[in-house]
Each structure stands twice: as C-alpha cells, then as structure tokens.
Amino acid sequence: KKQGFTEIEFILLRKVMEQFIVSFRNAWIHYIELTPSLSRIETNGQRVQITSPGEIVFIVTFRIGIGQEEGILNCCIPAVLLDPISGKLDRRNRFSIVKTQRENNEEVLRENIKDTSVELRCELGKSFLTIDEINLLQPGDVIKTTRQVGEPVDIACNSLIKFKGEVGTQSGKYAVRILRDVQKGISARA
C-alpha cells in the first residue's frame, strides 16, 4: 500500500493544478474576475473541509488523463460564492458568451497546433498468415494482401483513417495521392 506522495509526484501535481487554475480562471472570465491560487496540497481527504456540512455546494467533476492513466478531479464551489454573480449566469447571456468563447478558442487552438507533427500511415493491405507460414518466409517470397490492385488505400492520421488515396511514385520514391476525405475518421486499429 502506498504511504504517500514522493517529491516528484508533488511537483507534478502542483504543475497540473497550476494548469487547472488557469483554465478555471479563463472559464469564469466573462462573469467575474478571479485570481485563484494554489495555497496548499492536502493529501488526506479527512482534513479537507471548505464548508459546513449543511451548506449547498456545486461539485464540478473533471476527468484527467496523464499518459495511460486516468482519474477524476472534483472541484467544490460553495453556492454562497455564486450569489454575487447569479444575475450574470442568465442562460441567454451564457450561450452568447460560450459561442464567442468557442470561436476564440478554435482560433487559438488552430494557431497552437499548426506546427504539431502527426504520423500519417498508408496501409497497402492486410494479410493473415500462421506462425508456421511466417517462419517459412524467405527473401523473394510474395505476400498476397486483401486489397485489390487499383483499390484506394487507407491513409490514417494518428491511427484514425482520414483519407483514401492512390499509390504511386514521385522522384523515385513511393508516394500516395489523396483522392478524398473520409467523412468521419474511423479507427485504423480494427
């Protein structure tokens, strides 16, 4: 059983929480100016009490993923803290703000990811062999695939089939010409 957090885990937790604080502040920016800060990390849930037991609170649950691990983060907001801004939480106002925010976020996201590298893979076809057949393979053997000659190939972007393409050559190297976009990406792992 784990006894506690290591110093490295505390540093990582602090960095995650600092990112969370920025997102939390930005989520409320159209309603109220917040300056949230991280004052302490408490690992014993029995020591944490921010309201009296009978007080109404809002619980906001976030799903957080780091690498292959996932968990949840609960944010507890006492209802009394929202009283000063309850008039600004009008549904019509909120939707117009969310629409503007979404458009701004999309622009910022496009700008931030435009130089991000992604892996593109082109699958020429599939073949199913037994272990015995694989062990007997030698240089010069030909492996038949399930794809017909001239049939468009799948082009996957980070394991999601995004395009259909045509195999060819360019400047003495294999190349694939994109023929069309696949409407909704489908998993290439199947």
Side-chain angles (χ1 to χ4, degrees), residues 120-179:
L120 285 179
R121 283 187 178 221
C122 174
E123 184 178 283
L124 299 176
K126 289 182 182 179
S127 186
F128 299 93
L129 301 173
T130 66
I131 298 296
D132 253 359
E133 291 170 323
I134 291 171
N135 286 333
L136 294 174
L137 286 175
Q138 296 180 13
D141 287 349
V142 176
I143 301 171
K144 293 181 185 176
T145 68
T146 56
R147 193 172 309 272
Q148 298 293 317
V149 174
E151 183 182 347
V153 295
D154 295 331
I155 302 170
C157 177
N158 283 350
S159 300
L160 204 63
I161 297 172
K162 180 77 175 125
F163 303 104
K164 292 290 187 175
E166 173 183 59
V167 178
T169 61
Q170 184 173 15
S171 304
K173 295 188 181 231
Y174 285 110
V176 180
R177 179 192 344 241
I178 294 176
L179 297 174

Side-chain angles (χ1 to χ4, degrees), residues 88-104:
K88 293 181 180 180
L89 296 176
D90 176 15
R91 176 171 288 209
R92 288 169 301 207
N93 186 31
R94 185 176 69 221
F95 286 125
S96 66
I97 288 170
V98 166
K99 182 180 177 190
T100 304
Q101 217 173 12
R102 186 178 299 132
E103 291 166 355
N104 291 341

